[in-house]
Amino acid sequence: MADGVKPRVKVPKSAAAGDVITIKTLISHPMESGQRKDGDGNPIPRSIINRFTCDFNGKNVIDVTLEPAISTNPYFEFEATVPEAGEFKFTWYDDDGSVYEDAKSISIG
């Protein structure tokens, strides 16, 4: 994982089958536009999260394409229906080719 880039995800530990839950995600990421220069006058390479996905047990829940104007540390809050116990997988894609992942399990209770 690149320096300082850290995903954080909040998912309830359990829910009843069929419940709609709220999921919150944030990734600490500088979202460098590529238009700034470092102290020596060299361009700082562009590094922007351009896509975010969430899957549950292999099925897509959300797929977001991000544009360059997105702020530093992108935050998403969304709802998902929990049909069964399983795992949410979260993936952030960076312009520089980096991929950041996290996963959270949820039980039915």
Side-chain angles (χ1 to χ4, degrees):
M1 213 174 287
D3 288 340
V5 177
K6 178 177 174 28
R8 290 183 289 198
V9 176
K10 185 175 181 182
V11 174
K13 293 187 186 306
S14 67
D19 273 2
V20 175
I21 62 165
T22 299
I23 297 172
K24 299 176 182 181
T25 73
L26 178 130
I27 186 164
S28 298
H29 190 284
M31 301 295 278
E32 185 56 59
S33 70
Q35 298 176 1
R36 295 183 326 126
K37 296 186 179 186
D38 65 17
D40 296 327
N42 300 312
I44 299 171
R46 179 175 155 146
S47 177
I48 293 176
I49 299 292
N50 59 44
R51 184 175 174 215
F52 167 72
T53 64
C54 172
D55 296 333
F56 180 71
N57 289 346
K59 294 182 182 174
N60 185 256
V61 174
I62 190 170
D63 190 336
V64 180
T65 301
L66 305 173
E67 300 298 330
I70 195 80
S71 69
T72 299
N73 305 327
Y75 170 83
F76 291 98
E77 181 175 326
F78 57 96
E79 294 181 337
T81 301
V82 181
E84 62 197 12
E87 183 178 76
F88 285 96
K89 180 181 176 191
F90 305 91
T91 310
W92 294 262
Y93 300 88
D94 195 312
D95 279 346
D96 69 7
S98 298
V99 176
Y100 309 102
E101 296 179 323
D102 199 356
K104 297 288 182 186
S105 294
I106 189 166
S107 62
I108 298 299

